[in-house]
Amino acid sequence: MQVLVTGGAGFVGSRLVRGLLGEYGDIRIISVDNYFTGTEANHVADERVTYLHDSTVNIRKLWANHGFGDLDAVFHLGEYSRIPQSFDEPDRVWEYNLHGTKEVVSLAHEHGAKLVYAGSSSKFGNGGQDEHLNPYAWTKAKNVEYIRNFSTWYGLDHVITYFYNVYGPGQITDGPYATVIGIFETQYAKGEPLTVVEPGTQTRDFTHIDDIVAGILTCHRSGSGDGYLLGYGKERSLVEVAEMFGAPYVLVPARRGERTRGQADTDKARALGWRPTIDLPDYIEQVKRDLR
């Protein structure tokens, strides 16, 4: 089996590569990553994996020029994935998300490969209206529409998953693209107050990376079509999460484009046999023990 993983050097993509290697012995994985947030430190030292530094915009030419041949599945994770920053980088969001995804969809169609797409859970907030809150959410929602329509127009074996606030080992812990849990971990380790974005009552459904990868693999094997939400299924406020660390926290100004609530309806993914197994409080307690 030969598969393409876009964003294979990123947080989720690199863990997916490891999951695929463990799931399938006879597999060849091609990772294409522009290393915008990915890093070579996430590479897996395995002869079954080939890493290419390039853009998904060039994916069809890249595939042909390297003579990779048949393609069985495409795991498309390599997109722009931060909300507040998307206001400052609309051209980059457009290129990575809309243009790049169009090319990835075309490649999958040309090879009759199954497309596993990582949609954004941001589209479900506020009765679906939250997809209009920021450039990132809007482009991700449009990509889902495009994939669904493309399947109707031309035929495309696909499954669309949605990640809810992924955290865990390998997450980005500092800089503008850091995750909430990653930021809290760094501040806790330094003995600094945790910075909670105002008002602090906004909720998120935090999901461990191992559960996300298990969900992706399950959806690849057994899922079809749209609507596979991968979350723990419990919403927690940011203040509540900060308090789990047992450290002082301070409120910082609200950020543009953020939704107020987030919780996954996991019924469709659970119907495939997937279950999240790692709860956030347990993870945080382990982090605190490791730092003692």
Side-chain angles (χ1 to χ4, degrees):
M1 184 168 75
Q2 182 162 249
V3 306
L4 166 67
V5 177
T6 68
F11 170 37
V12 179
S14 62
R15 296 294 289 248
L16 175 61
V17 167
R18 289 174 171 81
L20 287 165
L21 292 172
E23 185 87 359
Y24 303 100
D26 185 15
I27 190 172
R28 184 184 186 192
I29 301 171
I30 312 300
S31 165
V32 174
D33 200 305
N34 61 10
Y35 293 84
F36 178 58
T37 57
T39 172
E40 291 185 3
N42 287 333
H43 286 191
V44 180
D46 192 299
E47 62 182 8
R48 293 173 291 171
V49 187
T50 299
Y51 290 95
L52 300 178
H53 188 158
D54 213 313
S55 169
T56 53
V57 169
N58 306 316
I59 195 70
R60 295 161 72 191
K61 182 185 296 185
L62 194 65
W63 198 265
N65 288 347
H66 281 80
F68 288 131
D70 293 339
L71 178 60
D72 297 294
V74 176
F75 297 86
H76 186 31
L77 283 65
E79 293 185 318
Y80 191 102
S81 60
R82 288 296 180 269
I83 288 175
Q85 294 83 352
S86 68
F87 287 104
D88 301 322
E89 302 177 306
D91 292 340
R92 180 171 278 163
V93 177
W94 186 278
E95 178 186 358
Y96 292 0
N97 292 9
L98 296 177
H99 190 180
T101 294
K102 180 183 79 69
E103 296 302 319
V104 170
V105 169
S106 295
L107 179 70
H109 176 61
E110 289 169 3
H111 287 267
K114 184 171 187 176
L115 173 67
V116 183
Y117 179 64
S120 171
S121 60
S122 59
K123 67 170 284 185
F124 296 109
N126 193 24
Q129 291 304 303
D130 280 1
E131 71 177 62
H132 304 291
L133 282 176
N134 55 77
Y136 161 72
W138 183 83
T139 57
K140 295 288 285 187
K142 295 309 113 180
N143 280 344
V144 169
E145 290 182 24
Y146 179 66
I147 291 168
R148 293 176 63 173
N149 285 331
F150 191 98
S151 179
T152 300
W153 299 330
Y154 305 110
L156 176 69
D157 187 8
H158 70 282
V159 58
I160 301 174
T161 63
Y162 299 88
F163 304 163
Y164 278 76
N165 291 84
V166 190
Y167 70 90
Q171 65 195 332
I172 301 176
T173 58
D174 54 37
Y177 302 100
T179 63
V180 173
I181 302 302
I183 293 170
F184 284 177
E185 283 188 31
T186 298
Q187 293 170 335
Y188 180 83
K190 293 180 178 180
E192 301 172 350
L194 310 188
T195 52
V196 176
V197 175
E198 292 181 332
T201 54
Q202 65 270 42
T203 65
R204 299 292 183 265
D205 190 346
F206 294 94
T207 316
H208 193 275
I209 181 62
D210 290 351
D211 289 329
I212 291 291
V213 169
I216 297 171
L217 294 175
T218 298
C219 289
H220 166 244
R221 286 192 304 268
S222 307
S224 180
D226 193 9
Y228 295 92
L229 281 58
L230 304 179
Y232 191 80
K234 182 178 178 62
E235 58 179 331
R236 292 185 167 95
S237 73
L238 296 191
V239 165
E240 180 184 355
V241 174
E243 290 174 343
M244 290 179 190
F245 281 88
Y249 65 86
V250 295
L251 294 177
V252 297
R255 301 186 297 183
R256 186 180 176 191
E258 294 276 20
R259 57 183 169 164
T260 58
R261 296 186 63 187
Q263 181 178 8
D265 179 353
T266 62
D267 287 352
K268 192 166 184 178
R270 286 174 177 268
L272 301 180
W274 172 79
R275 297 287 186 280
T277 60
I278 302 173
D279 200 1
L280 180 61
D282 297 331
Y283 171 82
I284 292 175
E285 283 303 314
Q286 184 61 56
V287 168
K288 290 163 63 177
R289 284 194 294 270
D290 291 343
L291 289 172
R292 285 175 189 150

